[in-house]
Amino acid sequence: MSKKIDQLAARIGERFGDSARLVHGTAGELTLVVSPDALVETAVALRDEPGLEFAMLVELAGVDYLTYGMDEWKTRKATGTGFSRGVTRGSPPVSPDTPDRFAVAYHLLSIRLNHRLRVRCHPPSGDPPRLPTLCEVWPSANWFEREAFDLFGILFDGHPDLRRILTDYGFIGHPFRKDFPLSGQVEVRYDAERQRVIYEPVDIEPRTLVPRVIRDDHRYEKALKE
């Protein structure tokens, strides 16, 4: 870790102590994990206090940890012949009360001191997840928070205009949630008789993304095995 990162970590530890958790990344990145109740106060301190001075919110991103660390398939063994995968499909528990399911990551930049910091905050359990807005701390949070609301369904209390920004006004659900179907929930087409666009239930069949490979070459000829 560079001396500059060490100095920033020491300054953050001195300022926040045990009220926030500092995580050191493998690539020399720093992440400050804060509670929802302390989010606004922490953001103001990071922006204004000497040695921190994070004047710019570069990016804000929602995160859904519902399937974190899981694959589409879960298995202990697979066949060596025939189909290449002998597996049992696994699915995560889907519950709005999953602890720490959602998070919001704030990527900050200090222009004067030329250092960066990620702040991560987990909303309290429940659906919809809610956090206070940071629009008054960093104005750029306005559209970023609208994106997180649109795609993840995270509400930001106090936001001046929390509307969808990427999907249609009539869109159902939040497409970046891990339990949102890959095929969507409705499909759109133009009806020539009605002379308008209509919405209908999606008719795409769900499919497994793991390929099934049938081995059919000379290695499996019975005569050659004998």
Side-chain angles (χ1 to χ4, degrees):
M1 186 177 296
S2 68
K3 181 179 179 180
K4 189 173 184 179
I5 296 296
D6 288 338
Q7 292 174 344
L8 176 60
R11 178 68 181 92
I12 292 174
E14 174 189 355
R15 171 58 179 83
F16 298 103
D18 296 332
S19 63
R21 180 166 57 94
L22 189 62
V23 179
H24 295 263
T26 57
E29 299 176 338
L30 293 178
T31 299
L32 186 65
V33 183
V34 302
S35 66
D37 295 337
L39 178 61
V40 176
E41 178 184 354
T42 301
V44 172
L46 290 172
R47 182 194 64 184
D48 296 341
E49 295 191 8
L52 300 174
E53 304 176 48
F54 290 98
M56 178 179 292
L57 173 64
V58 178
E59 176 64 287
L60 180 158
V63 186
D64 184 356
Y65 289 99
L66 181 65
T67 57
Y68 182 75
M70 298 182 65
D71 291 328
E72 182 183 11
W73 296 97
K74 299 179 68 176
T75 182
R76 294 183 179 178
K77 58 184 178 180
T79 60
T81 61
F83 294 108
S84 62
R85 298 294 299 275
V87 296
T88 302
R89 188 180 182 87
S91 59
V94 179
S95 170
D97 296 322
T98 302
D100 293 339
R101 172 181 171 179
F102 294 100
V104 176
Y106 305 83
H107 297 266
L108 309 180
L109 170 65
S110 172
I111 300 174
R112 195 181 78 82
L113 301 176
N114 191 27
H115 54 215
R116 297 176 184 267
L117 177 70
R118 178 189 300 109
V119 175
R120 186 169 71 236
C121 185
H122 292 269
S125 60
D127 200 5
R130 311 179 76 102
L131 284 177
T133 182
L134 294 185
C135 286
E136 294 187 0
V137 182
W138 295 290
S140 60
N142 190 315
W143 280 27
F144 293 151
E145 290 179 350
R146 285 180 61 186
E147 289 179 356
F149 159 69
D150 191 357
L151 301 177
F152 291 92
I154 301 172
L155 299 183
F156 294 90
D157 294 327
H159 191 286
D161 187 22
L162 195 61
R163 293 177 291 128
R164 290 188 181 271
I165 191 172
L166 296 175
T167 61
D168 188 18
Y169 293 119
F171 192 88
I172 300 174
H174 304 282
F176 276 19
R177 289 192 175 192
K178 296 300 183 180
D179 52 358
F180 189 85
L182 293 179
S183 58
Q185 297 177 341
V186 296
E187 58 187 21
V188 181
R189 68 178 179 86
Y190 179 77
D191 190 297
E193 294 183 358
R194 302 182 192 180
Q195 296 185 349
R196 66 180 179 88
V197 173
I198 62 173
Y199 292 80
E200 296 176 329
V202 65
D203 61 0
I204 300 175
E205 288 292 332
R207 61 189 180 90
T208 302
L209 299 181
V210 176
R212 296 189 303 174
V213 180
I214 300 177
R215 304 184 188 278
D216 186 17
D217 57 35
H218 68 277
R219 293 176 295 170
Y220 302 98
E221 290 291 336
K222 184 177 180 180
L224 292 176
K225 290 183 179 180
E226 295 176 350

